[in-house]
């Protein structure tokens, strides 16, 4: 490993199929960082079970997510791509960090508040302590940067607080990680309800685009996207939430700035604009969908990737875990 390279860790939970939000908010940036950094990317299946999952579906989505990550351009030789539950150090450090995370801190997490409101019949302890498991994911790898969308910033900030608390007691055990949030695409909103985040849980509503969706269904979703009664394509995230969201998506997909996009659609009306956004997204996702489809046909290759990833991730994670166990006073085996 090149010592000058920054260390990256990030993850996505396979609780639903990958969406345009996870692509623009996270994976696209993972790929951009992959050459210049030393990267670890996990399929966070342990995080997914905080909400009830169908076991066969969870297995399918975890492997499919891995294939889609590779199809997005992540080279598993250059990056360590692995499945979280394959590296027991995550659960082991997660428990230790639970003991250094305060009840009050976890109670203030907006995602916990949102999810417990949505799953009132299953507010389990895992949903509550989820951020300390996420802190373990990050701190095990001594990550410098954590590329995530806006919604995960609070969890990375809590990770810093936990690391700081632990380091203050035991010395410099953990590297202090920084969130890395993209300028464009950090918060992609639902196409049907532009007040709320595009999320895996709203699949089949037309509000969410998945990376494996067909071009026809993507075009249909953009044509039906909720906008407003005005006709001007201009960026106004307070007054014109739907159009501003479409502008963000268009700019991220076409690689241009908001003023350039506004100029392109001056006097063109919403119909032409929505069609152009849909086409840009279809073209951006086409090679990913095709490549992921091929990879999914080669289960042996995918198994080779996650086994190799688990081995490499375990080596790095094991070093940190041994240090932590020693510091807190566990007897060496
Ligand atoms: P998850 O699985 O909900 O989302 C995965 C990544 O995609 C980003 N994202 C979005 N970005 C922009 N707009 C959206 N609509 C959108 N939806 C999702 C998220 O910010 C995230 O970066 N707890 C994490 C997974 C995780 C993790 C980690 C992340 C587990 N361990 C360690 C970083 C480091 C989660 O549930 O993300």
């Amino acid at each position: 490993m090149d010592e000058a390279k920054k260390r990256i860790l990030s993850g996505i939970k396979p609780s639903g199929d990958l969406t345009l939000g996870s692509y623009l908010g996270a994976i696209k940036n993972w790929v951009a960082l992959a050459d210049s950094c030393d990267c670890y990317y996990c399929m966070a299946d342990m995080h997914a079970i905080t909400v009830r999952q169908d076991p066969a579906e969870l297995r399918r989505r975890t492997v499919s997510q891995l294939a889609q990550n590779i199809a997005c351009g992540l080279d598993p030789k250059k990056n360590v791509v692995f499945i979280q539950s394959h590296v027991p150090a995550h659960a082991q450090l997660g428990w230790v960090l639970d003991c250094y995370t305060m009840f009050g801190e976890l109670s203030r997490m907006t995602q916990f508040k949102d999810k417990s409101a949505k799953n009132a019949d299953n507010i389990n302890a895992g949903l509550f302590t989820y951020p300390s498991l996420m802190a373990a994911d990050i701190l095990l790898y001594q990550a410098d940067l954590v590329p995530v969308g806006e919604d995960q910033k609070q969890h990375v900030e809590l990770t810093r607080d936990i690391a700081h608390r632990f380091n203050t007691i035991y010395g410099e055990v953990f590297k202090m990680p920084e969130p890395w949030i993209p300028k464009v695409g950090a918060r992609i909103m639902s196409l049907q309800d532009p007040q709320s985040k595009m999320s895996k849980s709203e699949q089949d509503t037309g509000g969410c685009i998945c990376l494996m969706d067909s071009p026809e269904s993507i075009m249909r979703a953009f044509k039906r996207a909720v906008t407003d009664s005005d006709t001007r394509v201009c960026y106004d995230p307070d007054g014109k939430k739907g159009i501003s969201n479409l502008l963000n998506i268009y700019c991220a997909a076409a690689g241009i700035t908001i003023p350039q996009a506004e100029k392109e659609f001056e006097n063109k009306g919403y119909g032409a604009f929505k069609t152009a956004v849909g086409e840009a997204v279809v073209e951006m996702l086409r090679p990913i969908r095709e490549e992921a489809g091929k990879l999914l046909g080669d289960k042996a290759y995918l198994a080779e990737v996650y086994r190799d990833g688990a081995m490499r991730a375990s080596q790095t994670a094991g070093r940190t875990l041994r240090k932590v166990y020693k510091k807190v006073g566990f007897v060496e085996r």
Side-chain angles (χ1 to χ4, degrees):
M1 188 196 82
D2 180 349
E3 287 303 327
K5 277 188 171 179
K6 286 217 185 299
R7 177 71 64 78
I8 309 277
L9 175 291
S10 198
I12 297 187
K13 55 180 182 332
S15 51
D17 289 318
L18 284 178
T19 71
L20 184 62
S22 15
Y23 179 67
L24 294 178
I27 308 169
K28 191 165 178 244
N29 311 304
W30 298 4
V31 175
L33 290 163
D35 277 337
S36 56
C37 301
D38 177 29
C39 304
Y40 290 77
Y41 294 123
C42 76
M43 315 301 123
D45 54 349
M46 290 163 68
H47 279 93
I49 63 163
T50 52
V51 172
R52 290 280 174 271
Q53 301 291 331
D54 174 79
E57 262 298 285
L58 179 59
R59 253 188 295 276
R60 178 196 69 76
R61 281 196 303 257
T62 305
V63 175
S64 174
Q65 182 176 305
L66 178 85
Q68 289 173 60
N69 280 184
I70 300 171
C72 287
L74 276 190
D75 178 348
K77 290 221 164 62
K78 284 196 213 146
N79 306 276
V80 182
V81 186
F82 65 102
I83 297 175
Q84 186 187 26
S85 63
H86 288 179
V87 182
H90 289 249
Q92 292 168 304
L93 183 62
W95 171 252
V96 174
L97 297 185
D98 274 348
C99 304
Y100 293 81
T101 308
M102 299 301 134
F103 185 90
E105 287 174 318
L106 294 172
S107 314
R108 283 193 289 278
M109 294 295 111
T110 47
Q111 198 168 74
F112 171 68
K113 291 190 224 167
D114 290 351
K115 293 225 160 149
S116 37
K118 279 189 197 143
N119 299 284
D121 56 345
N122 183 22
I123 308 178
N124 59 71
L127 194 64
F128 189 63
T129 61
Y130 172 120
S132 39
L133 178 60
M134 181 163 155
D137 299 343
I138 297 169
L139 299 176
L140 273 176
Y141 298 90
Q142 306 289 354
D144 297 288
L145 297 176
V146 184
V148 284
E150 186 67 46
D151 63 320
Q152 292 298 323
K153 191 170 171 221
Q154 195 185 32
H155 290 158
V156 183
E157 280 164 357
L158 177 61
T159 300
R160 289 171 59 86
D161 294 341
I162 299 169
H164 178 72
R165 181 171 300 131
F166 198 92
N167 286 353
T168 305
I169 305 171
Y170 301 106
E172 290 301 301
V173 177
F174 297 125
K175 176 84 73 69
M176 207 47 90
E178 298 273 350
W180 193 97
I181 315 251
K183 287 196 179 65
V184 185
R187 195 168 171 79
I188 301 298
M189 310 308 275
S190 158
L191 300 186
Q192 283 302 310
D193 173 15
Q195 312 263 16
S196 56
K197 192 187 77 165
M198 180 182 285
S199 98
K200 299 167 198 141
S201 55
E202 54 149 11
Q203 268 162 30
D204 306 325
T205 61
C208 168
I209 303 286
C210 289
L211 301 197
M212 300 300 276
D213 283 350
S214 68
E216 299 71 38
S217 101
I218 295 175
M219 289 308 294
R220 206 176 319 119
F222 278 103
K223 283 188 180 150
R224 292 198 346 231
V226 168
T227 51
D228 52 59
S229 54
D230 188 23
T231 52
R232 287 167 309 121
V233 176
C234 63
Y235 193 70
D236 171 7
D238 294 322
K240 294 165 74 76
K241 288 195 191 311
I243 287 293
S244 302
N245 186 39
L246 293 177
L247 273 167
N248 271 329
I249 295 173
Y250 187 68
C251 290
I256 61 171
T257 63
I258 299 273
Q260 283 169 331
E262 283 173 334
K263 189 145 185 23
E264 188 178 338
F265 294 99
E266 218 172 11
N267 308 320
K268 289 220 175 110
Y270 288 175
F273 175 54
K274 285 179 175 183
T275 303
V277 184
E279 283 168 353
V281 171
V282 165
E283 289 319 314
M284 176 177 72
L285 298 185
R286 189 188 301 280
I288 298 174
R289 185 169 45 92
E290 288 173 359
E291 181 61 19
K294 279 188 217 147
L295 289 167
L296 282 167
D298 191 351
K299 294 280 185 297
Y301 167 72
L302 294 172
E304 209 177 286
V305 167
Y306 62 65
R307 285 196 196 111
D308 179 60
M311 203 181 64
R312 289 155 74 200
S314 297
Q315 279 167 3
T316 308
R319 274 196 291 277
T320 304
L321 186 71
R322 280 194 292 280
K323 211 164 165 185
V324 168
Y325 271 18
K326 197 165 173 190
K327 292 284 185 186
V328 300
F330 291 167
V331 175
E332 215 175 320
R333 195 171 66 179

